[in-house]
Amino acid sequence: MSQETLSAIAIAAHQLGALMLVGSLFFLLFILRPVTRQTLGVSERQRFFLLLYRYLFRWLWVALLLLWGSGGWQIYLLGTAEPLLPAQIMAGGGAVITALTILGQVVRYFHLADFVKEERWPQAGRYSSLVRVLMAGALLVGLVLVLTGVGAPYLAPPTP
């Protein structure tokens, strides 16, 4: 395969990962959460979000693997000794999103699941809110990275 084809595949995989990550977090925070708040009681909502987070985190990990793999692949294909500024910003932001995802999954698995199983709804609500705040942070960083990707041609000097 030519380098242009490999680069196009890497870019497409990167865009797919970004779409999955940002789209799922946006849907969770701005559409699904308000609807469940209006339609479900506390216990049903906590059970729902516990199950939802299990699926959400699976897909977030798929998206993060796509992003890390395709991002590293693109840097490799560029063949530069030091990645350009947009790539450095994206790698740093990707590390932040990965850390927030790990924290969210730890909170969900070790705390939220226990409180839902024990039907301790006030504690479950607090930990569910913590997961939501962590995912909102990941969404915010993801949006900044999407804008960085769009603005990359203007942030990096042209390569000779």
Side-chain angles (χ1 to χ4, degrees):
M1 269 189 209
S2 70
Q3 183 155 346
E4 292 82 18
T5 304
L6 292 174
S7 183
I9 291 170
I11 290 169
H14 208 72
Q15 290 177 344
L16 178 62
L19 177 67
M20 288 169 58
L21 183 110
V22 171
S24 62
L25 292 176
F26 184 88
F27 181 75
L28 168 74
L29 295 168
F30 292 105
I31 298 169
L32 196 56
R33 184 174 174 276
V35 168
T36 58
R37 239 187 126 105
Q38 293 177 8
T39 59
L40 297 177
V42 173
S43 61
E44 294 88 10
R45 188 170 60 242
Q46 294 307 323
R47 286 186 182 105
F48 174 78
F49 274 107
L50 181 62
L51 182 61
L52 175 92
Y53 289 149
R54 183 185 331 155
Y55 290 98
L56 173 74
F57 283 116
R58 287 179 188 168
W59 284 106
L60 287 180
W61 285 116
V62 169
L64 285 168
L65 288 172
L66 270 173
L67 288 165
W68 281 109
S70 62
W73 192 3
Q74 290 178 64
I75 289 171
Y76 172 76
L77 288 175
L78 284 174
T80 58
E82 184 176 324
L84 300 173
L85 178 63
Q88 292 172 344
I89 292 170
M90 287 184 195
V96 170
I97 291 173
T98 302
L100 291 171
T101 302
I102 290 169
L103 285 172
Q105 190 155 9
V106 165
V107 168
R108 179 201 64 87
Y109 185 76
F110 289 109
H111 299 291
L112 180 60
D114 293 337
F115 290 133
V116 169
K117 187 166 58 171
E118 296 166 4
E119 296 185 359
R120 294 169 61 189
W121 305 123
Q123 294 89 347
R126 282 195 293 277
Y127 281 100
S128 187
S129 292
L130 178 58
V131 173
R132 180 178 44 85
V133 167
L134 292 169
M135 294 303 96
L139 174 62
L140 180 64
V141 174
L143 289 172
V144 168
L145 295 182
V146 167
L147 293 175
T148 301
V150 170
Y154 308 104
L155 294 173
T159 55

